[in-house]
Amino acid sequence: MIKKWFVTGTDTEVGKTIASCALLQAAGDAGYRTAGYKPVASGSEMTAQGIRNGDALALQRNSNVKLSYAQVNPFAFLEPTSPHIVSAEALQPIEFSQMSAGLEALASQADWLQVEGAGGWFTPLSATTTFADWAIQEQLPVILVVGVKLGCINHAMLTAHAVQNAGLRLAGWIANDVQPTGKRHAEYLATLRDVLKAPMLGEIPFYPHIDDETSLGRHLDISLLSQ
């Protein structure tokens, strides 16, 4: 059975890609054929090979199925801003049909599909659609990444409520330490465990530097996703 997961975050820059790579590593260690998918990405660089997004490249490297860049990231934009703004300016509409076709193509190669969103839950993809709308259309169970810092409890509760009100399953959540742990860190985590009605898959500690040799998957227990 193919397992598909949609990774969203409490905000932008909370570590969705770090968590997605950790999930891909853990799933690969568990014997799955893994594929990371970043259907829409803004904040990229122009290279000799074309536009490349760092988050999408990280997903590509951490997938154990060999994938082309286009398979991982069909919509890539240079400017680091909301996708609906740059896509309109570039006259390149973000089509749900193309996003879904890319996901379906990956399902023929892998049995663990890790889909990473952009920004937070309601990131706009056009004047009338959001990333949440596409996740709902695909009926993807959601994994929430919480960047542990002041304000994260409110943001986590708001996102969790939005996911559940959309009729999707909040399959689990990951605490990502986006900064060195502070005085109230333990209390933040205790409160999050209490208010988020889904299993905590693990805590990724603060890493001043992460490279391809960093073992992130060991921090997560993906067996909890079956609960």
Side-chain angles (χ1 to χ4, degrees), residues 42-64:
S42 58
S44 308
E45 295 182 359
M46 182 60 74
T47 73
Q49 293 75 40
I51 296 177
R52 294 292 184 266
N53 174 265
D55 294 346
L57 289 170
L59 296 182
Q60 184 184 31
R61 291 193 302 269
N62 281 276
S63 302
N64 62 22

Side-chain angles (χ1 to χ4, degrees), residues 140-191:
L140 297 172
V142 177
I143 298 172
L144 174 62
V145 181
V146 181
V148 184
K149 58 183 178 179
L150 183 63
C152 70
I153 296 169
N154 175 60
H155 290 161
M157 292 176 70
L158 287 170
T159 306
H161 284 198
V163 169
Q164 291 160 338
N165 287 342
L168 296 182
R169 179 166 71 96
L170 183 62
W173 64 279
I174 296 169
N176 182 47
D177 297 338
V178 294
Q179 58 193 24
T181 56
K183 177 181 178 182
R184 298 299 183 184
H185 183 80
E187 288 99 321
Y188 288 174
L189 289 187
T191 303

